[in-house]
Amino acid sequence: QVQLVESGGGLVQAGGSLRLSCVASGRIKYINAMGWYRQAPGNQRELAARITRGGTTNYADSVKGRFTISRDNAKNTVYLQMNSLKPEDTAAYHCNVQSTSWLDTVVDSWGQGTQVTVSS
């Protein structure tokens, strides 16, 4: 099992910034990809940003130039720096980690989500 602990959400005014963190622990041999997905009420969960073990990133078009994803492999941690936040960024942000266990099985894990609310 893999446990994910998310932090950093909150309420911010439009134009402000927040930094999300997600720490993975448990039966992890190594972590492959890490990412952040978001889900607003009434909407489907969508990818915000993703980063591979090698550092390759991809972003949703709506966040390009404003969000930056990074990771610390030694700490099994992924970050999402969110700048120039807009009201439409309001959502629950969920961490996703794809890891390989010591049994060489691939595990896909999700965090419970941290709420980001941007006021206009």
Side-chain angles (χ1 to χ4, degrees):
Q1 293 84 359
V2 175
Q3 295 78 43
L4 303 181
V5 178
E6 301 154 324
S7 61
L11 173 64
V12 64
Q13 288 188 331
S17 298
L18 285 173
R19 188 191 195 210
L20 306 183
S21 300
C22 174
V23 181
S25 63
R27 298 179 180 180
I28 299 171
K29 183 177 180 180
Y30 56 85
I31 293 178
N32 305 311
M34 307 180 85
W36 290 95
Y37 289 72
R38 63 185 186 180
Q39 186 169 19
N43 290 355
Q44 290 187 334
R45 189 173 295 186
E46 63 176 9
L47 173 70
R50 186 175 181 269
I51 184 168
T52 67
R53 182 171 181 80
T56 300
T57 59
N58 63 294
Y59 297 92
D61 288 342
S62 58
V63 308
K64 283 180 181 177
R66 300 188 297 121
F67 290 10
T68 302
I69 190 169
S70 61
R71 63 188 282 174
D72 185 331
N73 290 331
K75 297 181 179 179
N76 287 347
T77 301
V78 62
Y79 307 97
L80 186 66
Q81 178 67 44
M82 305 184 294
N83 298 329
S84 302
L85 282 161
K86 304 176 181 179
E88 50 264 43
D89 294 319
T90 295
Y93 284 70
H94 297 265
C95 176
N96 173 254
V97 169
Q98 295 173 358
S99 60
T100 297
S101 74
W102 290 102
L103 297 177
D104 286 329
T105 56
V106 177
V107 179
D108 192 44
S109 305
W110 289 91
Q112 291 190 334
T114 183
Q115 180 66 34
V116 171
T117 302
V118 184
S119 63
S120 57

